[in-house]
Amino acid sequence: MNPATARVSDGDRDRAVELVQQAYADGRLDQEELERRLERALGAGSLRELELVVADLPHHDEVVRLQSVGGGLKRSGDWNVPRRLHIESAYGRVRLDLSRAVIRHPQVDIELHLAYGQATIIVPAGASVDADGVRAEWGRVICKAPGRRRPGELHVQVTGALPYGRLVIRPSRS
């Protein structure tokens, strides 16, 4: 695929807009530059045009990997949630509480691989969750959070595999 001629998808455009907005929130761009870049991103027809809009901005799209064999993995309170989380646990318990976390992205992608054990993901009130990408063989997925994406609210995309594990996703009670 040639970036100079490849057409821009809605997802490509959304990621570029997110990077520009994050750069503005971080103080890297002033209001005028924000508006100029957003206009260029929304009007871009090719991937190359879009790349030029964000080329000098830091990309916060790295994957944070958390792994455990027999112990537990827990994140709660005031923690920075990355754009993408990859979690592997063979036998342990996983608990991700996003309800009071710092989340700078409109969407968080969580890839969960849980052989045995249990995982709990707590999302902030108003957040939506799509867990249709989780493959449960003998395991179980229970999602009590709304599945329909809501404008202006956090959306969490959960994928992965639970051969024998159990996943519970619920909104915060507070």
Side-chain angles (χ1 to χ4, degrees), residues 13 17 37-44 50:
R13 192 171 283 115
V17 166
R37 288 188 190 224
L38 287 176
E39 184 177 326
R40 286 177 53 208
L42 294 172
L50 203 55

Side-chain angles (χ1 to χ4, degrees), residues 1 10 52 60 68 71 76 85 87 97 105 110 115 120 122 125 139 146 151-152 155-156 159 166 168-170 174:
M1 178 188 320
D10 289 340
L52 291 172
H60 300 286
S68 173
S76 63
L85 269 168
I87 300 168
D97 187 345
H105 316 284
I110 300 172
T120 303
I122 302 167
H155 181 72
V156 178
T159 59
R166 179 177 173 190
V168 176
I169 304 167
R170 67 171 177 81
S174 57

Side-chain angles (χ1 to χ4, degrees), residues 37-139:
R37 288 188 190 224
L38 287 176
E39 184 177 326
R40 286 177 53 208
L42 294 172
S46 72
L47 286 176
R48 180 67 183 145
E49 291 173 338
L50 203 55
E51 288 171 359
L52 291 172
V53 174
V54 298
D56 62 334
L57 300 178
H59 289 55
H60 300 286
D61 205 28
E62 72 277 355
V63 177
V64 172
R65 297 182 185 281
L66 303 174
Q67 296 179 326
S68 173
V69 174
L73 292 170
K74 181 178 180 180
R75 298 293 184 271
S76 63
D78 184 13
W79 63 290
N80 286 315
V81 178
R83 167 76 175 79
R84 296 171 55 205
L85 269 168
H86 179 96
I87 300 168
E88 290 184 39
S89 179
Y91 299 99
R93 178 171 259 170
V94 175
R95 183 176 175 88
L96 298 177
D97 187 345
L98 308 178
S99 65
R100 291 178 296 166
V102 177
I103 305 171
R104 293 187 171 96
H105 316 284
Q107 178 172 321
V108 172
D109 295 330
I110 300 172
E111 183 178 349
L112 177 65
H113 295 274
L114 182 66
Y116 299 92
Q118 179 172 332
T120 303
I121 300 173
I122 302 167
V123 298
S128 59
V129 177
D130 179 356
D132 291 344
V134 178
R135 187 181 75 246
E137 294 170 22
W138 295 94

